[in-house]
Amino acid sequence: PPPGTMDFDDGTVFDKEAVMVTLTNAVEEILKDQPYDHAKIGQWINDICERCTKELVGLGKPFKYVVTCVIMQRNGAGLHTVSSCFWDNANDGSASYKYDNKAMYAVATCYALAI
């Protein structure tokens, strides 16, 4: 295994690359070329989170997942976000994907907790 990772045959290690693919695909496919529309933000956020959760659960890994998404209109204001977790560093993990287009910023984050 690469340095800093553990190799378990039972699939209990957090696979950040697979999660990043899921987050990236969901956010880009749902928001691509969309203008900012306040009336649609709630639906977009729900769609992103539900799609990611469904795909991650479908991987059949022994994890509980928490997926969050923030979308903000691109208007010159700053967006700062941070999280802190107390967990098993050997097995649990998180991944975030930042997206922006001419109209908005989005940050989708997944937290995976080994069962």
Side-chain angles (χ1 to χ4, degrees), residues 55-93:
E55 287 184 19
L56 293 167
V57 169
L59 296 174
K61 303 283 185 175
F63 287 94
K64 291 182 181 180
Y65 297 101
V66 177
V67 178
T68 66
C69 184
V70 174
I71 297 175
M72 182 175 161
Q73 184 175 14
R74 189 175 195 143
N75 62 5
L79 173 64
H80 304 271
T81 181
V82 68
S83 65
S84 176
C85 300
F86 177 77
W87 58 22
D88 178 359
N89 287 326
N91 298 311
D92 302 336

mmCIF file of all heavy atoms in Angstrom, residues 55-93:
data_model
loop_
_atom_site.group_PDB
_atom_site.id
_atom_site.type_symbol
_atom_site.label_atom_id
_atom_site.label_comp_id
_atom_site.label_asym_id
_atom_site.label_seq_id
_atom_site.Cartn_x
_atom_site.Cartn_y
_atom_site.Cartn_z
ATOM 1 N N GLU A 55 -24.916 6.587 -3.959
ATOM 2 C CA GLU A 55 -23.787 5.969 -4.650
ATOM 3 C C GLU A 55 -22.767 5.414 -3.661
ATOM 4 O O GLU A 55 -22.209 4.336 -3.872
ATOM 5 C CB GLU A 55 -23.120 6.963 -5.594
ATOM 6 C CG GLU A 55 -23.957 7.242 -6.826
ATOM 7 C CD GLU A 55 -23.274 8.164 -7.824
ATOM 8 O OE1 GLU A 55 -22.032 8.319 -7.777
ATOM 9 O OE2 GLU A 55 -23.995 8.728 -8.668
ATOM 10 N N LEU A 56 -22.505 6.136 -2.587
ATOM 11 C CA LEU A 56 -21.541 5.670 -1.599
ATOM 12 C C LEU A 56 -22.037 4.422 -0.880
ATOM 13 O O LEU A 56 -21.278 3.461 -0.697
ATOM 14 C CB LEU A 56 -21.222 6.788 -0.603
ATOM 15 C CG LEU A 56 -20.468 7.977 -1.205
ATOM 16 C CD1 LEU A 56 -20.482 9.154 -0.252
ATOM 17 C CD2 LEU A 56 -19.047 7.590 -1.586
ATOM 18 N N VAL A 57 -23.296 4.410 -0.490
ATOM 19 C CA VAL A 57 -23.865 3.214 0.140
ATOM 20 C C VAL A 57 -23.806 2.037 -0.836
ATOM 21 O O VAL A 57 -23.527 0.906 -0.450
ATOM 22 C CB VAL A 57 -25.306 3.481 0.622
ATOM 23 C CG1 VAL A 57 -26.009 2.200 1.029
ATOM 24 C CG2 VAL A 57 -25.296 4.467 1.784
ATOM 25 N N GLY A 58 -24.011 2.317 -2.112
ATOM 26 C CA GLY A 58 -23.966 1.287 -3.144
ATOM 27 C C GLY A 58 -22.601 0.633 -3.314
ATOM 28 O O GLY A 58 -22.490 -0.444 -3.900
ATOM 29 N N LEU A 59 -21.539 1.269 -2.794
ATOM 30 C CA LEU A 59 -20.211 0.667 -2.858
ATOM 31 C C LEU A 59 -20.098 -0.556 -1.959
ATOM 32 O O LEU A 59 -19.177 -1.357 -2.110
ATOM 33 C CB LEU A 59 -19.131 1.691 -2.472
ATOM 34 C CG LEU A 59 -18.974 2.905 -3.378
ATOM 35 C CD1 LEU A 59 -17.965 3.883 -2.778
ATOM 36 C CD2 LEU A 59 -18.541 2.474 -4.774
ATOM 37 N N GLY A 60 -21.031 -0.684 -1.021
ATOM 38 C CA GLY A 60 -21.050 -1.848 -0.143
ATOM 39 C C GLY A 60 -19.941 -1.877 0.895
ATOM 40 O O GLY A 60 -19.594 -2.937 1.399
ATOM 41 N N LYS A 61 -19.394 -0.715 1.227
ATOM 42 C CA LYS A 61 -18.332 -0.626 2.232
ATOM 43 C C LYS A 61 -18.960 -0.479 3.620
ATOM 44 O O LYS A 61 -20.054 0.077 3.751
ATOM 45 C CB LYS A 61 -17.412 0.567 1.955
ATOM 46 C CG LYS A 61 -16.772 0.551 0.586
ATOM 47 C CD LYS A 61 -15.642 -0.433 0.540
ATOM 48 C CE LYS A 61 -14.936 -0.329 -0.820
ATOM 49 N NZ LYS A 61 -13.773 -1.183 -0.872
ATOM 50 N N PRO A 62 -18.264 -0.927 4.666
ATOM 51 C CA PRO A 62 -18.827 -0.843 6.023
ATOM 52 C C PRO A 62 -18.643 0.543 6.651
ATOM 53 O O PRO A 62 -17.870 0.728 7.588
ATOM 54 C CB PRO A 62 -18.029 -1.917 6.787
ATOM 55 C CG PRO A 62 -16.701 -1.934 6.104
ATOM 56 C CD PRO A 62 -17.002 -1.666 4.647
ATOM 57 N N PHE A 63 -19.355 1.528 6.091
ATOM 58 C CA PHE A 63 -19.271 2.899 6.585
ATOM 59 C C PHE A 63 -20.660 3.500 6.754
ATOM 60 O O PHE A 63 -21.604 3.141 6.044
ATOM 61 C CB PHE A 63 -18.511 3.791 5.588
ATOM 62 C CG PHE A 63 -17.039 3.562 5.546
ATOM 63 C CD1 PHE A 63 -16.493 2.699 4.610
ATOM 64 C CD2 PHE A 63 -16.198 4.201 6.442
ATOM 65 C CE1 PHE A 63 -15.125 2.480 4.568
ATOM 66 C CE2 PHE A 63 -14.832 3.981 6.407
ATOM 67 C CZ PHE A 63 -14.287 3.119 5.466
ATOM 68 N N LYS A 64 -20.747 4.439 7.676
ATOM 69 C CA LYS A 64 -21.879 5.357 7.741
ATOM 70 C C LYS A 64 -21.386 6.630 7.084
ATOM 71 O O LYS A 64 -20.246 7.043 7.284
ATOM 72 C CB LYS A 64 -22.275 5.646 9.193
ATOM 73 C CG LYS A 64 -22.868 4.459 9.892
ATOM 74 C CD LYS A 64 -23.283 4.855 11.296
ATOM 75 C CE LYS A 64 -23.852 3.659 12.017
ATOM 76 N NZ LYS A 64 -24.276 4.009 13.381
ATOM 77 N N TYR A 65 -22.234 7.257 6.274
ATOM 78 C CA TYR A 65 -21.830 8.452 5.529
ATOM 79 C C TYR A 65 -22.675 9.652 5.937
ATOM 80 O O TYR A 65 -23.875 9.532 6.171
ATOM 81 C CB TYR A 65 -22.019 8.234 4.021
ATOM 82 C CG TYR A 65 -21.152 7.142 3.463
ATOM 83 C CD1 TYR A 65 -21.676 5.884 3.209
ATOM 84 C CD2 TYR A 65 -19.812 7.362 3.174
ATOM 85 C CE1 TYR A 65 -20.880 4.867 2.684
ATOM 86 C CE2 TYR A 65 -19.012 6.360 2.649
ATOM 87 C CZ TYR A 65 -19.557 5.109 2.404
ATOM 88 O OH TYR A 65 -18.767 4.108 1.894
ATOM 89 N N VAL A 66 -22.030 10.799 5.975
ATOM 90 C CA VAL A 66 -22.705 12.084 6.140
ATOM 91 C C VAL A 66 -22.244 12.938 4.964
ATOM 92 O O VAL A 66 -21.047 13.122 4.757
ATOM 93 C CB VAL A 66 -22.321 12.780 7.464
ATOM 94 C CG1 VAL A 66 -22.982 14.138 7.568
ATOM 95 C CG2 VAL A 66 -22.652 11.895 8.655
ATOM 96 N N VAL A 67 -23.191 13.433 4.174
ATOM 97 C CA VAL A 67 -22.853 14.264 3.022
ATOM 98 C C VAL A 67 -23.509 15.628 3.217
ATOM 99 O O VAL A 67 -24.696 15.710 3.527
ATOM 100 C CB VAL A 67 -23.329 13.629 1.697
ATOM 101 C CG1 VAL A 67 -22.999 14.533 0.519
ATOM 102 C CG2 VAL A 67 -22.706 12.249 1.509
ATOM 103 N N THR A 68 -22.717 16.681 3.045
ATOM 104 C CA THR A 68 -23.233 18.045 3.150
ATOM 105 C C THR A 68 -22.908 18.804 1.871
ATOM 106 O O THR A 68 -21.977 18.448 1.148
ATOM 107 C CB THR A 68 -22.622 18.808 4.344
ATOM 108 O OG1 THR A 68 -21.225 18.988 4.116
ATOM 109 C CG2 THR A 68 -22.849 18.068 5.651
ATOM 110 N N CYS A 69 -23.684 19.841 1.619
ATOM 111 C CA CYS A 69 -23.436 20.682 0.452
ATOM 112 C C CYS A 69 -23.832 22.114 0.774
ATOM 113 O O CYS A 69 -24.868 22.353 1.400
ATOM 114 C CB CYS A 69 -24.234 20.177 -0.746
ATOM 115 S SG CYS A 69 -23.910 21.100 -2.268
ATOM 116 N N VAL A 70 -22.987 23.045 0.351
ATOM 117 C CA VAL A 70 -23.258 24.472 0.490
ATOM 118 C C VAL A 70 -23.156 25.084 -0.895
ATOM 119 O O VAL A 70 -22.198 24.806 -1.630
ATOM 120 C CB VAL A 70 -22.222 25.147 1.419
ATOM 121 C CG1 VAL A 70 -22.418 26.649 1.451
ATOM 122 C CG2 VAL A 70 -22.259 24.559 2.801
ATOM 123 N N ILE A 71 -24.137 25.895 -1.254
ATOM 124 C CA ILE A 71 -24.098 26.630 -2.524
ATOM 125 C C ILE A 71 -24.283 28.105 -2.197
ATOM 126 O O ILE A 71 -25.184 28.476 -1.439
ATOM 127 C CB ILE A 71 -25.191 26.168 -3.498
ATOM 128 C CG1 ILE A 71 -24.968 24.705 -3.884
ATOM 129 C CG2 ILE A 71 -25.214 27.063 -4.742
ATOM 130 C CD1 ILE A 71 -26.062 24.110 -4.761
ATOM 131 N N MET A 72 -23.410 28.935 -2.779
ATOM 132 C CA MET A 72 -23.470 30.373 -2.520
ATOM 133 C C MET A 72 -23.352 31.133 -3.831
ATOM 134 O O MET A 72 -22.526 30.786 -4.682
ATOM 135 C CB MET A 72 -22.326 30.765 -1.591
ATOM 136 C CG MET A 72 -22.318 32.216 -1.228
ATOM 137 S SD MET A 72 -21.022 32.496 -0.014
ATOM 138 C CE MET A 72 -20.849 34.247 -0.200
ATOM 139 N N GLN A 73 -24.178 32.143 -3.968
ATOM 140 C CA GLN A 73 -24.118 32.979 -5.159
ATOM 141 C C GLN A 73 -22.764 33.669 -5.241
ATOM 142 O O GLN A 73 -22.221 34.130 -4.234
ATOM 143 C CB GLN A 73 -25.233 34.022 -5.133
ATOM 144 C CG GLN A 73 -25.301 34.861 -6.382
ATOM 145 C CD GLN A 73 -26.507 35.800 -6.375
ATOM 146 O OE1 GLN A 73 -27.142 36.015 -5.354
ATOM 147 N NE2 GLN A 73 -26.801 36.358 -7.521
ATOM 148 N N ARG A 74 -22.227 33.728 -6.421
ATOM 149 C CA ARG A 74 -20.939 34.391 -6.637
ATOM 150 C C ARG A 74 -21.212 35.891 -6.776
ATOM 151 O O ARG A 74 -21.619 36.369 -7.833
ATOM 152 C CB ARG A 74 -20.292 33.832 -7.900
ATOM 153 C CG ARG A 74 -18.871 34.281 -8.094
ATOM 154 C CD ARG A 74 -18.259 33.585 -9.302
ATOM 155 N NE ARG A 74 -16.834 33.749 -9.242
ATOM 156 C CZ ARG A 74 -15.965 32.844 -9.607
ATOM 157 N NH1 ARG A 74 -16.381 31.694 -10.092
ATOM 158 N NH2 ARG A 74 -14.690 33.077 -9.528
ATOM 159 N N ASN A 75 -20.960 36.615 -5.681
ATOM 160 C CA ASN A 75 -21.253 38.050 -5.678
ATOM 161 C C ASN A 75 -20.162 38.864 -4.986
ATOM 162 O O ASN A 75 -20.396 39.993 -4.590
ATOM 163 C CB ASN A 75 -22.610 38.313 -5.032
ATOM 164 C CG ASN A 75 -22.652 37.879 -3.585
ATOM 165 O OD1 ASN A 75 -21.649 37.465 -3.019
ATOM 166 N ND2 ASN A 75 -23.824 37.966 -2.983
ATOM 167 N N GLY A 76 -18.996 38.263 -4.808
ATOM 168 C CA GLY A 76 -17.897 38.979 -4.186
ATOM 169 C C GLY A 76 -17.743 38.727 -2.700
ATOM 170 O O GLY A 76 -16.742 39.109 -2.110
ATOM 171 N N ALA A 77 -18.731 38.116 -2.076
ATOM 172 C CA ALA A 77 -18.640 37.811 -0.648
ATOM 173 C C ALA A 77 -17.761 36.580 -0.448
ATOM 174 O O ALA A 77 -17.662 35.727 -1.318
ATOM 175 C CB ALA A 77 -20.032 37.550 -0.075
ATOM 176 N N GLY A 78 -17.135 36.495 0.695
ATOM 177 C CA GLY A 78 -16.288 35.348 0.999
ATOM 178 C C GLY A 78 -17.094 34.182 1.547
ATOM 179 O O GLY A 78 -18.163 34.371 2.125
ATOM 180 N N LEU A 79 -16.571 32.990 1.354
ATOM 181 C CA LEU A 79 -17.172 31.788 1.919
ATOM 182 C C LEU A 79 -16.058 31.014 2.599
ATOM 183 O O LEU A 79 -15.077 30.631 1.962
ATOM 184 C CB LEU A 79 -17.821 30.919 0.830
ATOM 185 C CG LEU A 79 -18.327 29.550 1.280
ATOM 186 C CD1 LEU A 79 -19.447 29.694 2.302
ATOM 187 C CD2 LEU A 79 -18.813 28.750 0.080
ATOM 188 N N HIS A 80 -16.195 30.813 3.899
ATOM 189 C CA HIS A 80 -15.204 30.076 4.679
ATOM 190 C C HIS A 80 -15.916 28.944 5.389
ATOM 191 O O HIS A 80 -16.987 29.149 5.967
ATOM 192 C CB HIS A 80 -14.527 30.985 5.707
ATOM 193 C CG HIS A 80 -13.888 32.188 5.100
ATOM 194 N ND1 HIS A 80 -12.594 32.184 4.645
ATOM 195 C CD2 HIS A 80 -14.382 33.417 4.833
ATOM 196 C CE1 HIS A 80 -12.310 33.366 4.133
ATOM 197 N NE2 HIS A 80 -13.382 34.135 4.235
ATOM 198 N N THR A 81 -15.345 27.758 5.356
ATOM 199 C CA THR A 81 -15.942 26.626 6.033
ATOM 200 C C THR A 81 -14.831 25.763 6.623
ATOM 201 O O THR A 81 -13.736 25.690 6.072
ATOM 202 C CB THR A 81 -16.837 25.812 5.068
ATOM 203 O OG1 THR A 81 -17.425 24.730 5.782
ATOM 204 C CG2 THR A 81 -16.062 25.277 3.901
ATOM 205 N N VAL A 82 -15.125 25.142 7.750
ATOM 206 C CA VAL A 82 -14.159 24.275 8.407
ATOM 207 C C VAL A 82 -14.928 23.204 9.176
ATOM 208 O O VAL A 82 -16.099 23.404 9.532
ATOM 209 C CB VAL A 82 -13.236 25.088 9.364
ATOM 210 C CG1 VAL A 82 -14.003 25.627 10.540
ATOM 211 C CG2 VAL A 82 -12.053 24.268 9.812
ATOM 212 N N SER A 83 -14.302 22.077 9.389
ATOM 213 C CA SER A 83 -14.908 21.046 10.221
ATOM 214 C C SER A 83 -13.814 20.420 11.073
ATOM 215 O O SER A 83 -12.629 20.478 10.742
ATOM 216 C CB SER A 83 -15.605 19.988 9.378
ATOM 217 O OG SER A 83 -14.649 19.279 8.603
ATOM 218 N N SER A 84 -14.225 19.826 12.162
ATOM 219 C CA SER A 84 -13.307 19.139 13.043
ATOM 220 C C SER A 84 -13.964 17.833 13.459
ATOM 221 O O SER A 84 -15.168 17.813 13.754
ATOM 222 C CB SER A 84 -13.027 20.009 14.275
ATOM 223 O OG SER A 84 -12.199 19.309 15.175
ATOM 224 N N CYS A 85 -13.199 16.758 13.451
ATOM 225 C CA CYS A 85 -13.768 15.453 13.772
ATOM 226 C C CYS A 85 -12.882 14.713 14.768
ATOM 227 O O CYS A 85 -11.661 14.845 14.743
ATOM 228 C CB CYS A 85 -13.890 14.605 12.515
ATOM 229 S SG CYS A 85 -14.938 15.320 11.252
ATOM 230 N N PHE A 86 -13.504 13.937 15.615
ATOM 231 C CA PHE A 86 -12.800 13.032 16.518
ATOM 232 C C PHE A 86 -13.200 11.637 16.096
ATOM 233 O O PHE A 86 -14.355 11.255 16.232
ATOM 234 C CB PHE A 86 -13.211 13.307 17.971
ATOM 235 C CG PHE A 86 -12.565 12.356 18.941
ATOM 236 C CD1 PHE A 86 -11.234 12.521 19.300
ATOM 237 C CD2 PHE A 86 -13.275 11.304 19.482
ATOM 238 C CE1 PHE A 86 -10.632 11.646 20.188
ATOM 239 C CE2 PHE A 86 -12.683 10.429 20.360
ATOM 240 C CZ PHE A 86 -11.354 10.596 20.719
ATOM 241 N N TRP A 87 -12.242 10.898 15.519
ATOM 242 C CA TRP A 87 -12.577 9.590 14.986
ATOM 243 C C TRP A 87 -11.351 8.709 14.883
ATOM 244 O O TRP A 87 -10.273 9.080 15.337
ATOM 245 C CB TRP A 87 -13.272 9.714 13.647
ATOM 246 C CG TRP A 87 -12.512 10.447 12.566
ATOM 247 C CD1 TRP A 87 -11.160 10.653 12.471
ATOM 248 C CD2 TRP A 87 -13.076 11.066 11.420
ATOM 249 N NE1 TRP A 87 -10.858 11.357 11.337
ATOM 250 C CE2 TRP A 87 -12.017 11.627 10.665
ATOM 251 C CE3 TRP A 87 -14.359 11.196 10.934
ATOM 252 C CZ2 TRP A 87 -12.222 12.298 9.474
ATOM 253 C CZ3 TRP A 87 -14.546 11.861 9.756
ATOM 254 C CH2 TRP A 87 -13.489 12.409 9.031
ATOM 255 N N ASP A 88 -11.510 7.580 14.246
ATOM 256 C CA ASP A 88 -10.427 6.620 14.046
ATOM 257 C C ASP A 88 -9.683 6.995 12.770
ATOM 258 O O ASP A 88 -10.161 6.732 11.670
ATOM 259 C CB ASP A 88 -11.024 5.212 13.947
ATOM 260 C CG ASP A 88 -9.985 4.137 13.701
ATOM 261 O OD1 ASP A 88 -8.781 4.468 13.582
ATOM 262 O OD2 ASP A 88 -10.381 2.965 13.617
ATOM 263 N N ASN A 89 -8.530 7.620 12.907
ATOM 264 C CA ASN A 89 -7.775 8.075 11.733
ATOM 265 C C ASN A 89 -7.350 6.941 10.802
ATOM 266 O O ASN A 89 -7.087 7.175 9.626
ATOM 267 C CB ASN A 89 -6.539 8.857 12.168
ATOM 268 C CG ASN A 89 -6.890 10.225 12.704
ATOM 269 O OD1 ASN A 89 -7.832 10.862 12.244
ATOM 270 N ND2 ASN A 89 -6.146 10.675 13.688
ATOM 271 N N ALA A 90 -7.282 5.734 11.300
ATOM 272 C CA ALA A 90 -6.863 4.602 10.469
ATOM 273 C C ALA A 90 -7.952 4.176 9.496
ATOM 274 O O ALA A 90 -7.651 3.638 8.427
ATOM 275 C CB ALA A 90 -6.467 3.421 11.347
ATOM 276 N N ASN A 91 -9.218 4.410 9.837
ATOM 277 C CA ASN A 91 -10.313 3.893 9.011
ATOM 278 C C ASN A 91 -11.300 4.950 8.538
ATOM 279 O O ASN A 91 -11.860 4.828 7.462
ATOM 280 C CB ASN A 91 -11.077 2.804 9.764
ATOM 281 C CG ASN A 91 -10.215 1.618 10.079
ATOM 282 O OD1 ASN A 91 -9.524 1.105 9.208
ATOM 283 N ND2 ASN A 91 -10.227 1.182 11.326
ATOM 284 N N ASP A 92 -11.581 5.949 9.345
ATOM 285 C CA ASP A 92 -12.551 6.980 8.986
ATOM 286 C C ASP A 92 -11.884 8.034 8.108
ATOM 287 O O ASP A 92 -10.663 8.106 8.026
ATOM 288 C CB ASP A 92 -13.096 7.647 10.248
ATOM 289 C CG ASP A 92 -13.753 6.668 11.201
ATOM 290 O OD1 ASP A 92 -14.195 5.601 10.750
ATOM 291 O OD2 ASP A 92 -13.827 6.981 12.406
ATOM 292 N N GLY A 93 -12.701 8.862 7.469
ATOM 293 C CA GLY A 93 -12.109 9.910 6.649
ATOM 294 C C GLY A 93 -13.138 10.885 6.120
ATOM 295 O O GLY A 93 -14.339 10.734 6.336
#
